[in-house]
Structures are given as structure tokens and as C-alpha cells.
Amino acid sequence: MKINVLTLFPDMFKPLETSLLGRALEDKKWDLNLVNFRDFTTDVHHHVDDTPYGGGAGMVLQIMPIKKALDSLENKGKVIITAPQGKTFDQAMAKRFSTEENLTFICGHYEGFDQRVYDLADEVVSIGDYVLTGGELPTMSMIDATVRLIPGILGNFASTEEESFADGLLEYPQYTRPAEFEGKKVPEVLMSGHHANIARWRLKEALKATLLHRPDLLENRAMTDEEKELLTEIKSELD
Ligand code: ADE
């Protein structure tokens, strides 16, 4: 997958060159093309913004440099604008993005885009109901969540299928040595070696965590008989 990012601050993307994604980048398992759209301005001062028509405070990002930067790309694929008014990013969206050959993110900064910039995008996406100073951090979050789902990126690190959200439930608790720490013991069942009991315990704990912290995730879930049974058990224990 090749990801293009149109940004005024390409240096902000350094974190993607570290850790797991950085190694995968070195191994050419994905590619990142940072494009500063200021390079596509034609005036001597390289302005990317101007005052708003109709007056008012602040500046507005102009369409021309962004359009030219987009047109310069070999293959833009799906074009995504990050903005607080967009559809909220979630794991399903990350999964969908991870199947694309090319993605292009357009990041604004401080100020809004000229409305016509939105016509250049296939999707407008937000990472949550809060306002950041720019689209760079949202873009990095989305790239991280997306790229790690590309087959072969995580290697031995995880089965993405077992973790939070992958199957619509929060994660069950995990433990490692020591078996007891300051009086807190690892649940007996995890040390029993009984695989079926362990699997049932993990499913129950995942259901319990979801019921307690994200009950909305259970609302439209097609439950198996085992899940229904465990949920009844959990509810009676909590009463
Ligand atoms: N740009 C500024 N705030 C944002 C948010 N919450 N999501 C996506 N892009 C943004």
C-alpha cells in the first residue's frame, strides 16, 4: 500500500518511521509519500491561505495548491480529508482502508479549507468529537490503525483477530509472571492448562468488560448461544 499525505508539516510524520510501522516501511511493506502543498504555490511568498470572502477572523486554506499537489500524485486512490465534522473513524473503517492499494490524506492546519476542497475528497473523516490544531495527528492515527492490518505487517506480534474491537468486543484481561503480585493473584483457570475452560473464561471476561464499559457495542451483536448464556451469568453475578 502506498499512502500519500498532503500536509504543511511533513516533519510531524516522523513517529511513523519508528517501531513496528517504521520497520515495515524500511522493509517496503508499505510506502509513505509526504507532499508539502506549499511547494505547489505560485506566488513569491508561497501563501497557502487567504482571508475569507464575506469577512471575519482567521484565514482559509486555498484550493489551488491542494489541487495541484493532488494532480501531481502518480496514484491517489481514495482521497480522505480529516476534519472534525467527518464520519467518525473506527476499526471497520481501518479494515476497509487496509484493503486499498493507495490512500491520500489531506491535512488542514489551524484554519478551515475553502469549501470546494471537500469536492476533491471521497471521504471526510474525524477521529472524535474534539478539535485539534490540524489533521496531522488524526492522519497518523488512521495510518497506524490501517497499516497494522495489512497482512504481514504485524508478523509475530499479534493476531489482530483476537484483540479489542476486532470481533466487536473489548479485550479480556491478560496476565504474565509473577503469578502473585502484592497479594493480587492471576486467575486460577489461566494456569490450569485446560484450553476449553480458558477460552470460555476469556469470552466471559470480554463480554463483561464490554457490558461494563461499552454496552453500545453489544446492542446490535448477533450473539452465539454460548455468549447469551455467559451474558445471563454475568448479569446475575453483577446484580
Ligand atoms: N482536524 C482537527 N480536529 C480533527 C478531528 N477531531 N478529527 C479529524 N481531523 C481533525
Side-chain angles (χ1 to χ4, degrees):
M1 174 190 284
K2 181 171 182 173
I3 300 181
N4 304 294
V5 180
L6 272 52
T7 171
L8 295 171
F9 299 94
D11 290 348
M12 281 185 75
F13 289 82
K14 276 269 176 270
L16 294 179
E17 290 169 19
T18 57
S19 185
L20 230 137
L21 293 196
R23 206 166 327 137
L25 199 55
E26 267 174 32
D27 294 344
K28 305 209 181 323
K29 289 180 177 158
W30 69 292
D31 194 11
L32 182 64
N33 178 33
L34 300 169
V35 179
N36 190 336
F37 55 90
R38 197 180 292 284
D39 296 341
F40 293 82
T41 50
T42 46
D43 65 306
V44 283
H45 297 297
H46 300 293
H47 282 133
V48 289
D49 53 8
D50 208 337
T51 53
Y53 278 118
M59 300 288 273
V60 178
L61 285 168
Q62 294 173 290
I63 190 167
M64 272 312 278
I66 294 172
K67 174 71 165 71
K68 283 187 178 158
L70 265 187
D71 288 347
S72 77
L73 300 174
E74 234 166 68
N75 199 340
K76 41 186 206 286
K78 189 183 280 301
V79 178
I80 299 143
I81 288 184
T82 59
Q85 74 270 30
K87 186 161 182 267
T88 308
F89 186 71
D90 62 9
Q91 189 68 20
M93 214 186 276
K95 220 165 204 170
R96 182 160 61 77
F97 287 172
S98 73
T99 63
E100 301 279 343
E101 267 308 299
N102 297 274
L103 287 174
T104 297
F105 289 90
I106 304 176
C107 306
H109 219 85
Y110 310 124
E111 50 230 323
F113 295 107
D114 180 298
Q115 187 59 34
R116 292 163 291 188
V117 173
Y118 291 101
D119 298 337
L120 305 174
D122 297 301
E123 299 191 35
V124 182
V125 183
S126 164
I127 58 161
D129 289 342
Y130 44 89
V131 180
L132 299 165
T133 54
E136 283 77 11
L137 290 171
T139 296
M140 267 187 274
S141 301
M142 289 191 253
I143 290 176
D144 188 300
T146 298
V147 170
R148 64 186 289 287
L149 295 178
I150 299 172
I153 296 268
L154 284 190
N156 293 328
F157 278 93
S159 64
T160 57
E161 289 312 316
E162 262 182 36
E163 69 199 338
S164 249
F165 291 107
D167 68 352
L169 296 176
L170 299 188
E171 251 174 299
Y172 51 78
Q174 297 262 46
Y175 298 88
T176 186
R177 272 175 277 273
E180 185 175 341
F181 178 72
E182 294 184 349
K184 292 181 183 174
K185 288 184 182 158
V186 172
E188 207 65 55
V189 61
L190 297 178
M191 294 181 292
S192 68
H194 192 300
H195 297 300
N197 285 355
I198 291 170
R200 190 171 165 88
W201 181 87
R202 285 179 167 167
L203 177 59
K204 183 172 174 182
E205 291 300 317
L207 282 164
K208 194 192 291 174
T210 312
L211 180 72
L212 290 175
H213 305 296
R214 290 293 307 275
D216 55 299
L217 294 176
L218 295 178
E219 273 162 26
N220 296 315
R221 185 178 178 81
M223 301 255 188
T224 63
D225 287 343
E226 187 184 24
E227 288 174 0
K228 283 181 202 158
E229 208 178 280
L230 286 171
L231 211 51
T232 311
E233 222 175 279
I234 291 164
K235 282 178 180 163
S236 74
E237 284 166 13
L238 289 174
D239 279 342

